[in-house]
Amino acid sequence: MGHKPRVAFVLGGGGVLGASEVGMLQALSDAGIVADVVLGTSIGAVNGVAYAADPDNAPKRLAELWTQLGEEDDNPFSGSMLGRLATLARTRTAVHEHAGLRDLLASSLPVSTFEELAIPFQCVAASIERARAVWFDHGELIPPVLASCAVPGLLPPVRIGDEHFYDGGLVHSIPVGRAIELGAETIFALHVGRVEAPLTVPEKPWQVGLVAFEIGRRHRFHEEVDKAPPGLVHVLPTGYDPPRWDDPRQLRQSMANLTERIEAAREATATYLAFLDDPGGPGPRVDEQAR
């Protein structure tokens, strides 16, 4: 980037829970806060690129899109069990294809390259061959966003050039550190609520991997927020009780409550932002909320 951004929006991953980020974007827009740079991971890359393409209209359009996604027929990850098994048999590593999400992005984005975006945008994915984070900020838009969303086991890796990429959440769940590196003076961290849900010791074999993954995805975010100067990072509230990290049923039920999640995040974030101009007010402290 040619200059240091004053305001950065950082959007984290979290799949179907990403509706909360839409409510946060609505509240930021209502407050007249506009990003100078947008950074996204996984579902945060989807929400983030939509905002960067059309910051004036994206919050409303995203709310409509997420409401549609709550309906089975409009969900790019819907499909019969037989269809998922057929995809798994064909790919041998994933139960879904990228086609649904690719079509959704192609039909909803008004531009096709990073350079055409109204606001600078970057997204991150995990390189398999190099085992490192790779940031994308130029060229064609859709392949890097798909790569950032390629959850292992759910979607196959995305090939870009000579490399293959998995979900950016493996390396940067909520990339606050990237915004700090770019020199942002104010950082708003938009997340899905998972960092608000405490982890517990696994009691069942299948929970072991989930706990390990959650520790891996959360620790970097907490360390980056802890090391940031006071007042630099604003971790926005979801206003919604996060689903249990180890209960797939609660995650599925979240798809039926997308409108409620959006509105809860909008109201909670609006209240939070109102206190930024009143340091003595009773609003939550940023450095406490992030822990």
Side-chain angles (χ1 to χ4, degrees):
M1 296 183 60
H3 64 279
K4 290 184 178 181
R6 189 174 70 84
V7 177
F9 288 1
V10 176
L11 292 86
V16 298
L17 303 180
S20 293
E21 297 177 347
V22 177
M24 296 172 184
L25 286 172
Q26 289 179 331
L28 289 163
S29 179
D30 291 343
I33 300 173
V34 181
D36 296 302
V37 66
V38 180
L39 309 174
T41 292
S42 198
I43 195 61
V46 176
N47 289 331
V49 73
Y51 173 82
D54 187 5
D56 292 332
N57 300 308
K60 180 180 178 181
R61 292 180 61 187
L62 279 169
E64 295 172 350
L65 178 61
W66 273 93
T67 300
Q68 294 173 4
L69 290 180
E71 304 173 5
E72 186 73 12
D73 291 341
D74 292 304
N75 186 343
F77 299 131
S78 63
S80 67
M81 179 61 69
L82 182 60
R84 294 172 186 173
L85 290 175
T87 300
L88 180 60
R90 183 169 57 255
T91 66
R92 295 191 287 185
T93 60
V95 296
H96 289 291
E97 298 278 13
H98 291 288
L101 183 55
R102 182 187 296 108
D103 292 344
L104 178 65
L105 290 169
S107 63
S108 60
L109 290 176
V111 299
S112 59
T113 67
F114 283 86
E115 290 79 6
E116 296 174 285
L117 293 169
I119 296 174
F121 167 75
Q122 300 181 15
C123 64
V124 64
S127 167
I128 294 177
E129 285 83 0
R130 289 188 285 162
R132 59 173 290 184
V134 176
W135 284 92
F136 297 91
D137 62 1
H138 64 276
E140 192 176 356
L141 264 176
I142 291 180
V145 174
L146 291 177
S148 189
C149 296
V151 179
L154 180 63
L155 290 163
V158 173
R159 180 171 180 171
I160 299 177
D162 294 329
E163 290 185 83
H164 298 80
F165 296 91
Y166 267 138
D167 192 286
L170 296 172
V171 286
H172 283 287
S173 62
I174 309 174
V176 167
R178 180 69 171 183
I180 295 175
E181 291 175 6
L182 294 176
E185 299 175 10
T186 302
I187 300 170
F188 292 99
L190 291 71
H191 63 104
V192 304
R194 285 169 65 169
V195 295
E196 299 171 346
L199 294 177
T200 56
V201 176
E203 299 177 350
K204 301 175 182 178
W206 59 269
Q207 293 176 335
V208 175
L210 287 176
V211 172
F213 178 73
E214 282 298 307
I215 291 173
R217 78 183 301 274
R218 296 184 191 189
H219 87 277
R220 184 168 189 170
F221 165 70
H222 287 300
E223 288 183 353
E224 290 174 344
V225 172
D226 288 346
K227 293 178 181 178
L232 174 64
V233 182
H234 298 274
V235 183
L236 301 180
T238 62
Y240 205 92
D241 290 335
R244 283 182 57 89
W245 58 271
D246 60 348
D247 190 343
R249 291 174 300 178
Q250 289 195 22
L251 293 177
R252 288 194 297 269
Q253 290 170 359
S254 295
M255 285 298 294
N257 300 316
L258 295 182
T259 301
E260 290 85 349
R261 294 191 70 87
I262 292 172
E263 183 59 21
R266 186 196 66 77
E267 292 182 357
T269 297
T271 299
Y272 177 86
L273 294 174
F275 286 114
L276 291 183
D277 294 327
D278 180 15
R285 286 174 52 85
V286 173
D287 54 350
E288 292 175 352
Q289 187 186 18
R291 290 161 173 75

